[in-house]
Structure formats: structure tokens, C-alpha cells
Amino acid sequence: MRHDESVPPTPRRPKPAAAAALTVLCLGIGLSGCGGESGAQAQPGKGGDPAPSSASASAPASPATPSPASTSPAPSKKPASPAPSTPAAASGPLSGKTVVIDPGHNPDNHLHTSEINRQVDIGTTHKECDTTGTSTNSGYAEARFTLDVSHRLRTLLQAQGAKVVLTYDDDRAFGPCVDERARIGNKAGADAVVSVHADGSAVGNRGFHVILPASVRGGGADTSKIVGPSRDLGTRIAGLFVRATGSAPSNYIGGNTGLDTRKDLGGLNLSTVPKVFIECGNMRDPKDAALLTSAGWRQKAAQGIADGISSYLNG
């Protein structure tokens, strides 16, 4: 917050605002065929193969989810915890690439307030180790949303041959802290890192935005080498997220561009590899919450992020 088995549902055309934003974003990154219908198949060499069914039998099974038509929140019971780091599942356009997925927050952070309130060095200042995240009015936690989308995203990327590492997979009591999240991506030598979130803003504030690292140098932070690549990664994700979901860029952050640059996030400041955050929507707005609690929409969200990552890695 501001702080997998299902095939994507039948495509629908983006809303007018989303379509206009998509045109701007696509022109900015020179993506051919980016203006197609929401959820359309990605072009070879751009979005890769979006169908999760193409994963080999060696890919770990993703947690069972409701049908795409469901709008019920995901169950709060913890799923079985796969290994946080898994090898590439198949040969494909992303073979040899490493992607780190960072599911924002942790469902049990609220049970460990003293630990997550501990201050950590983010290079330019100190901040809390982590936060609890937000939730919908019905109680669907951001941390549950981020894990679900991250699992779907992992399956899509593994189907294209990528090695995927999760910063955590519901396998620890709290955290990781923001500085550790950055170190996991750095240690993996990731070609791209995406931190998955959902916002907690006022009713009427709608849409998604991608957060890019600012130019920061101080203490242990130096983003000079990742600002440019991260902007490319984030811009591609924004454009293809519109196409996959039909959602419009945020109407309250980023001037309707879907992009926001910040220098106060340790997960970005301490990264030495290209990294962005994505706030997929506003959990506190009823209309956005209806999307975020839909399994079908979460599959579309994962597809849009995967397409953006694939487009970036394939150049």
C-alpha cells in the first residue's frame, strides 16, 4: 500500500479511459499490437505465451482458486508453503532469465507488531521493517491478495522458462523486512524484480499505478544504475496491465500516467537490479475492491504483469 490453473476469462474491451491511457503508454514504449482487446494474447517476443496451461509437468501446482466468475475473497487459511525459490519450469523465451516476485507485506504481520515496527536502514533514512498492509472493507487482506497474484504470476513466468524466486511464500511468521526484500533480489542477480501490492486510499480513488525508483544516493543506497531500466520495466508493465485487465491508471496518483516515482521506499532504494512496485488497485474503494476480490480479475492482473516483464526481458 502507499505506504493458477485457470485460463484468463473471455477478453473484454478496455473502458474508454483505460483505452486512452493504453494508447499513451503503448506509444511511450513502442509496443506493436498493444492496443488490442483487454486480455488478448500477447505478441511473440513481446508478452510471451500468456497461457498458464503451457507449463511443464515439473512446475509446482498453484493453490486452488475459485472460478473466474467468483467475487468472494480468498480463504484466510494458509496454503501449503512451496519452496520460496523454484527452478525454471520449461524452456521458452525467458529461459536463462531470473525474475524475483515480492508479495507485499505478510498476513501475520499484525501479530508481530514489535518486530515489524523495528527500524531498518533504507540508505537515506530509517523506516519500519514492514507494515501490515491494508484490506477491503470486507476484510480481504492485501497480503492475501499479493500472495495469490504472485502465485499466478510465478506460474505464467515459469511457463516461459524463467527461474522465479519469491521473497517469501507464507513460510515465515512476519516480514521479510524491506531491506531483506531488496537483498533477496540483489543476491539472485535478478533480471527484473516486481513487488506486488494493492493500495489503501479514499473511496473514489481508483485504478492502478506502478512505482519507479527515484535517483537516490546516500548511505547504502545508489539507484543510479537501475533508474533507467526500472522505468522501462515499469512503463511496459503499466501499458500491458491496462490491456490485460481493462483497468485505467490511477486517478489520484501519477497524473493519469499510471507511473509514480518515489525515493522513500527501501525496497527500491536498496535494489541493485531493475525493480518496480505495482499497486494493482485501491482496496478501500468498493468498485476496485470488487475487482481485487475476483479470482478471474486477479488472473488478468497476473497476466498483465507477466506480459510487461516478458516485454522488458525480450527487449
Side-chain angles (χ1 to χ4, degrees):
M1 59 184 292
R2 190 170 176 88
H3 26 49
D4 283 29
E5 72 289 353
S6 61
V7 176
T10 302
R12 59 184 177 84
R13 293 186 182 277
K15 299 175 183 177
L22 174 58
T23 300
V24 174
L25 289 165
C26 291
L27 288 174
I29 57 178
L31 284 178
S32 62
C34 187
E37 289 188 340
S38 169
Q41 294 277 327
Q43 297 297 316
K46 291 297 181 183
D49 178 7
S53 59
S54 64
S56 73
S58 62
S62 301
T65 57
S67 67
S70 171
T71 57
S72 300
S76 59
K77 184 178 179 181
K78 287 186 179 181
S81 298
S85 175
T86 53
S91 61
L94 298 186
S95 294
K97 301 295 185 181
T98 298
V99 179
V100 171
I101 305 170
D102 178 28
H105 311 290
N106 183 312
D108 290 332
N109 273 355
H110 69 284
L111 301 176
H112 300 272
T113 54
S114 62
E115 290 93 342
I116 67 168
N117 286 334
R118 178 175 62 85
Q119 297 286 297
V120 298
D121 186 356
I122 66 166
T124 55
T125 186
H126 288 75
K127 288 185 72 172
E128 295 87 353
C129 157
D130 202 2
T131 62
T132 59
T134 187
S135 67
T136 64
N137 292 333
S138 63
Y140 181 40
E142 178 187 1
R144 286 294 171 200
F145 168 84
T146 65
L147 274 170
D148 182 87
V149 173
S150 295
H151 289 155
R152 295 169 186 270
L153 178 55
R154 174 175 61 188
T155 296
L156 291 166
L157 293 171
Q158 286 181 331
Q160 297 180 64
K163 175 183 177 181
V164 180
V165 177
L166 267 62
T167 56
Y168 90 103
D169 199 2
D170 214 9
D171 52 358
R172 53 192 295 164
F174 64 91
C177 294
V178 295
D179 56 339
E180 183 182 354
R181 291 173 187 267
R183 286 195 298 271
I184 291 170
N186 298 344
K187 182 178 179 180
D191 297 287
V193 184
V194 177
S195 189
V196 181
H197 289 260
D199 211 354
S201 188
V203 173
N205 289 344
R206 296 199 61 197
F208 76 92
H209 64 279
V210 178
I211 304 174
L212 313 174
S215 181
V216 171
R217 180 175 293 179
D222 183 358
T223 62
S224 58
K225 293 182 180 179
I226 69 163
V227 167
S230 297
R231 174 167 286 275
D232 186 15
L233 170 64
T235 303
R236 290 174 184 272
I237 289 175
L240 291 164
F241 194 84
V242 171
R243 187 182 74 173
T245 65
S247 293
S250 171
N251 63 8
Y252 62 102
I253 292 175
N256 296 312
T257 65
L259 302 174
D260 184 36
T261 302
R262 292 175 60 177
K263 61 180 181 181
D264 63 323
L265 298 176
L268 295 180
N269 288 359
L270 299 175
S271 183
T272 59
V273 293
K275 181 174 181 177
V276 299
F277 281 45
I278 181 167
E279 300 277 4
C280 296
N282 176 19
M283 299 197 102
R284 308 303 290 184
D285 177 84
K287 292 180 179 179
D288 267 13
L291 300 176
L292 297 165
T293 54
S294 162
W297 189 89
R298 293 195 298 272
Q299 183 68 31
K300 291 181 180 181
Q303 186 69 67
I305 299 169
D307 288 348
I309 293 170
S310 298
S311 172
Y312 169 76
L313 293 179
N314 287 323

